[in-house]
Amino acid sequence: MPRRSRLLAPVAATVVVIIAALMFAANFWTDYKWFSAVGFSTVFLTQLWTRVLLFAVAALVMAIIVGASIFFAYRARPGVRPMSLEQQGLDRYRQSIDPHRKLFFWIAVGALALLAGAAAGGDWRSYLQFVNATDFGTADPEFGMDVAFFAFVYPFLRILLGYIYAAVILAFIAAVIVHYLYGGVRLQNDSGQRATPAARVHLSVLLGVFVLLRAGSYWLDRYGLVFSERGYTFGASYTDVNAVSTALVILTVISVICALLFFANIYFKNTMVPMASLGLLVLSAVLVGVAYPEIVQRFQVGPNEQRLESPYIERNIEFTRDAYDIADAEVETYDATTELTPQELSAAADDIPSVRLADPSVVSQTFQQMQQVRGFYQFPDVLEVDRYPDENGNLIDTIVAVRELDGPPDDQDNWLNRHLIYTHGYGMVAAAGNLIDAEGRPVFTEYNIPPRGELSDVVGEYEPRIYYGREGADYVIVEAEEEYDYPLDAEEDTEDVPTLDDAVDASPSPSADEARAPADSEDGESPAAEESPAAEESPAEGGEEDADQSTSQAYNNYAGDGGVQLSSFFDRVLYAIKYQEPNILLNSAISSDSRIIYERDPVERVEKVAPFLTTDSSPYPAVVDGKVVWIVDAYTTSDGYPYANRIDFTQAVTDTFTDGTVQQVGTLPGNEVNYIRNSVKATVDAHDGTVTLYAWDEEDPVLKTWMGAFPGIMTSRDEMSDELLDHVRYPDDLFKVQREIMREYHVTDASSYYGGQDFWSVPTDPTNETDRPEPPYRQTIRYPGEEDPNFSLTSTFVPRGRENIAAFMAVDSNPNSDDYGQLRLLELPRSTVIFGPGQVQNAFDADADVREVLLPLEQSNAEVTRGNLLTLPFAEGLLYVEPLYVQAGGGGAASFPLLQQVMVGFGEEVAIGSNLQEALNNLFAEGEAPLDEGGEEPAEEEPAEEDSGEESPNQDLTDALNEAVEAWEDAQESQDEADERLREALEAIEESMNE
């Protein structure tokens, strides 16, 4: 082989190693600089030194155990090997290995040590929880040990035992190989002695250590019974406590005896002793560990399961309710009324809070069209619901979002524009949840660029630039090139913005006495059947054409402290390697004053500075203390709470508002949890990226454990400003998890739980074509028995296998209330059938009056969208409210949904109206004595004089109209047959009108 070819492989390998080392070094050092810049360097260093410690210990233990085994096997090789064909074949291998045996030894031991160390480094969370464990103050009923043992200590002991197991097994395999290569162990031997005495002693000791470890594992398995899935419920069952636990004690004793027999073989040096020990161990494991518990389960528990399992079901119920923080839920039997008279409605009218009809998943399109301003700005598909005060200081449900930058215009999407010019979004956008304008558009309380509106008047001036958000490039470099700030002609593009001056109330409210329904058009058609002026032309059109004209846009230089300063050429080299981008080195505008901003997603920033937390999937922006901040709810979780039922976190939080790709639970290897607390409220400054972690639940033992591991990173909740506290809300994902658990664990009686007949289900979203659960809704409701309405998160349940409603669940989401976080359950009587969400939706679709309104829209070119189906307590019953949006067909990207109708349901009755007040009038007055806007019945008219028996002209007109409608409907099915009837009906209408 030519010399050049022989050198090619080593040179290529060296280059690969150098590149890998540079990439590792760049990522490592830039991570450290990022943690230092954000103020959480202790998190980085604690993780680093913990990983190094675990790596070193695991690698050293593996190297010592395996290396010592190989060394003793080599030292115990026979001096004279018998001549045989087997040994003659092995001689060739020995002759090849012997000159390099030390190299092979260190390579083998080093490789195993590296693998063990790398694996151990990944268990740093378990180690930190083990050394910083904090008691829960709750004892396990079976062993009397604090829950902390099972949550923090037990998992680490299992991991530790597993590593020692692996080391002993590998040591045994290595010993067998070395003994075989050097003649200590033979597969063929005429004398019948297949192993030398020294080899038998060596292997017996290793097997003895292995069996002794097995004894420790059996003993530890007793505590693991609290996580058993053998019984009717999760946790130790009757069989586990009365059979498996006893069997594990017996197996522990037998294993210790077998281990002693293996160690005794050092003296006997006989193959029969270890073989007998292994046989005894296997036989006892089968008979005692498997057969005995199976017999008890099948023949004792099976026929008497309910009676024998009841105490253990009670444990499961108690611990599950504690683990998911639903033990203190208030449960009230709610004999919901299904019928109301107009007088009762009038008495209850003032109790209707301002209903949030704006659906966050529908009005996103309206935000996009009316407030996008330029095509490169972006709003999320599902907006968020917060609370802001109106001009009178009353808190109202508000739809909020920030105008984020998705990237430069498509025809200008290059590295310079994406990473140095188009660096940030601009401004907060907000709309009142209960108001619309005359065309059905949401009423904006914060809008345009620069931002203005009632929200600005209330909260004052604030920094509108959004450098940290959920959209945009993975990194941007500021204080280099001039940055695109906002279009100067933005006001011209958003002139037709509905504000409070244009508002009509979409729902009855004590604070809105002058509410009026949108006026119908002169031809009687809904204004949404045709495109509204705002929908005829997208506000964003033409924006990108002016993007490069210096006279039409403002520029800005970043003035914050966010990001990592590129203080030296070496820093630029590191980031050029990290992002594999040479332009970071070549761009002359980047200087020592420039900053690189990355990890821009607020959720990812919180997860990185607090890797032990699980973040909520719905962060939301708020204007707080003169700046826009992202508020991120974060959870401490565990899968080690004894007896508590485990659930899949991702599956539990998936609904029609989520796509099913929720981030993995932070502290667990999988997504299963059986303990959760909203222990941390985090904020991320949208301008400079500052992350603040507030210890919201300072009594949580899991949070205390992590605070012991990472001291100083949490801020006391007492340091939250009043303005920030006003925007704290109960988190979505926690409520969904609790809702999932409440389906079964609202049952607290063991016998009833065993029967399962009272279990519930979360209804599927009837307004959506998917089969995902209905999302919980944020709305202000007046809970039965309460004087004031509360900002709440609500959901419903239906009986398992049926569709009528079983319960209504709400949680107080107002942080200034003493009842914040209080779960409340209205349990409806099983003897009364009350429509659930799916049944109400079917009633809407089947009702003749509703169809009469919807049919012309559906037959036209318009697109009808059903908004969120809200459920709220009302007049000692449950009221369903669903807004209907109409979007002009053929409008393409320039059209957007307009709220045109509201459907309501109470009991088995449904109705529709142009707003909520009108819909309620139609629902309860049954078309005979409609309520006026104040909820009162109109004065009765004097009875008309008796006619002569002939039908009045009005009656003739009504009959003719009915005939026309019927003929028109028939015409859709049989055009030829119904044309003549339609013509005759129209002639009758004309005659009646001429009379």
Side-chain angles (χ1 to χ4, degrees), residues 244-369:
V244 178
S245 181
T246 303
L248 290 173
V249 173
I250 295 172
L251 288 173
T252 301
V253 175
I254 293 175
S255 298
V256 172
I257 294 173
C258 290
L260 294 176
L261 290 175
F262 278 113
F263 293 142
N265 201 43
I266 297 174
Y267 174 76
F268 294 111
K269 298 183 178 63
N270 192 304
T271 307
M272 293 303 297
V273 173
M275 293 300 293
S277 300
L278 282 176
L280 176 61
L281 191 64
V282 172
L283 183 62
S284 61
V286 173
L287 294 180
V288 180
V290 178
Y292 172 54
E294 185 63 27
I295 291 172
V296 172
Q297 179 68 31
R298 179 167 299 184
F299 296 104
Q300 186 175 354
V301 176
N304 308 282
E305 187 175 45
Q306 180 175 351
R307 178 174 57 82
L308 295 179
E309 292 286 5
S310 287
Y312 307 100
I313 295 175
E314 290 176 356
R315 291 180 181 180
N316 172 262
I317 293 173
E318 178 186 354
F319 277 74
T320 299
R321 289 171 63 86
D322 286 340
Y324 292 96
D325 202 19
I326 64 172
D328 296 328
E330 296 179 358
V331 181
E332 175 184 345
T333 300
Y334 192 58
D335 296 323
T337 300
T338 58
E339 296 181 359
L340 279 183
T341 65
Q343 292 78 13
E344 291 171 327
L345 170 64
S346 177
D350 290 340
D351 290 334
I352 303 177
S354 183
V355 179
R356 177 193 57 76
L357 293 179
D359 186 337
S361 64
V362 177
V363 299
S364 173
Q365 300 178 54
T366 310
F367 272 52
Q368 194 74 16
Q369 289 300 323

Side-chain angles (χ1 to χ4, degrees), residues 5-292:
S5 299
R6 290 198 305 268
L7 292 175
L8 185 60
V11 170
T14 302
V15 170
V16 169
V17 170
I18 291 174
I19 293 175
L22 286 174
M23 291 294 295
F24 174 80
N27 284 312
F28 174 83
W29 189 247
T30 55
D31 267 359
Y32 175 71
K33 290 181 71 66
W34 184 89
F35 276 99
S36 297
V38 84
F40 285 84
S41 57
T42 56
V43 175
F44 178 85
L45 294 174
T46 299
Q47 286 187 73
L48 173 64
W49 293 120
T50 303
R51 287 175 180 270
V52 169
L53 174 64
L54 294 177
F55 179 94
V57 171
L60 184 62
V61 170
M62 179 65 73
I64 290 175
I65 294 176
V66 176
S69 180
I70 293 175
F71 175 77
F72 285 122
Y74 179 76
R75 289 290 300 272
R77 68 189 185 282
V80 178
R81 291 180 289 274
M83 297 302 296
S84 66
L85 292 176
E86 180 183 11
Q87 290 301 315
Q88 290 175 4
L90 290 173
D91 281 341
R92 293 194 297 271
Y93 292 103
R94 284 193 292 269
Q95 291 173 4
S96 301
I97 293 173
D98 269 347
H100 311 287
R101 64 177 181 273
K102 291 185 178 180
L103 177 63
F104 284 125
F105 171 82
W106 289 113
I107 289 176
V109 171
L112 292 175
L114 288 174
L115 291 175
D123 293 317
W124 62 271
R125 291 183 178 89
S126 296
Y127 172 75
L128 288 177
Q129 286 185 312
F130 171 73
V131 297
N132 295 282
T134 302
D135 285 349
F136 281 69
T138 301
D140 154 62
E142 184 61 34
F143 301 99
M145 305 186 72
D146 191 89
V147 169
F149 171 80
F150 302 96
F152 306 136
V153 179
Y154 174 80
F156 183 73
L157 294 180
R158 299 295 318 182
I159 291 172
L160 186 62
L161 196 61
Y163 280 112
I164 300 176
Y165 254 136
V168 171
I169 291 173
L170 290 172
F172 181 84
I173 294 172
V176 170
I177 293 173
V178 173
H179 281 303
Y180 178 70
L181 285 174
Y182 288 94
V185 173
R186 299 180 290 276
L187 299 180
Q188 300 175 1
N189 195 342
D190 296 338
S191 64
Q193 295 293 327
R194 298 183 181 276
T196 62
R200 285 198 295 270
V201 169
H202 184 196
L203 297 179
S204 295
V205 170
L206 290 175
L207 287 174
V209 173
F210 175 81
V211 175
L212 197 60
L213 290 172
R214 193 74 189 98
S217 179
Y218 281 134
W219 186 259
L220 197 59
D221 285 346
R222 294 172 59 250
Y223 300 105
L225 292 177
V226 298
F227 307 119
S228 172
E229 299 182 13
R230 180 191 300 271
Y232 185 79
T233 55
F234 185 85
S237 64
Y238 178 90
T239 300
D240 293 320
V241 172
N242 295 278
V244 178
S245 181
T246 303
L248 290 173
V249 173
I250 295 172
L251 288 173
T252 301
V253 175
I254 293 175
S255 298
V256 172
I257 294 173
C258 290
L260 294 176
L261 290 175
F262 278 113
F263 293 142
N265 201 43
I266 297 174
Y267 174 76
F268 294 111
K269 298 183 178 63
N270 192 304
T271 307
M272 293 303 297
V273 173
M275 293 300 293
S277 300
L278 282 176
L280 176 61
L281 191 64
V282 172
L283 183 62
S284 61
V286 173
L287 294 180
V288 180
V290 178
Y292 172 54

Side-chain angles (χ1 to χ4, degrees), residues 384-387 395 397 620 633 678 681 696 724-735 776-781 783 789-794 809-824:
E384 295 298 330
V385 181
D386 199 356
R387 297 137 298 153
L395 289 174
D397 295 355
Y620 57 101
D633 285 287
N678 178 212
K681 303 283 188 182
W696 183 253
L724 173 59
L725 190 62
D726 287 341
H727 293 284
V728 168
R729 66 186 194 184
Y730 200 80
D732 292 67
D733 288 350
L734 175 59
F735 186 76
Y777 294 120
R778 294 191 182 277
Q779 54 179 328
T780 297
I781 64 171
Y783 202 80
N790 279 316
F791 185 60
S792 304
L793 193 56
T794 66
M809 180 175 169
V811 63
D812 192 324
S813 194
N814 180 8
N816 295 308
S817 169
D818 293 336
D819 293 328
Y820 171 82
Q822 178 63 59
L823 288 170
R824 294 170 174 173

Side-chain angles (χ1 to χ4, degrees), residues 420 479-481 586-591 594:
L420 274 73
E479 298 189 55
E481 304 280 358
L586 301 176
N587 185 279
S588 58
I590 300 176
S591 67
S594 300

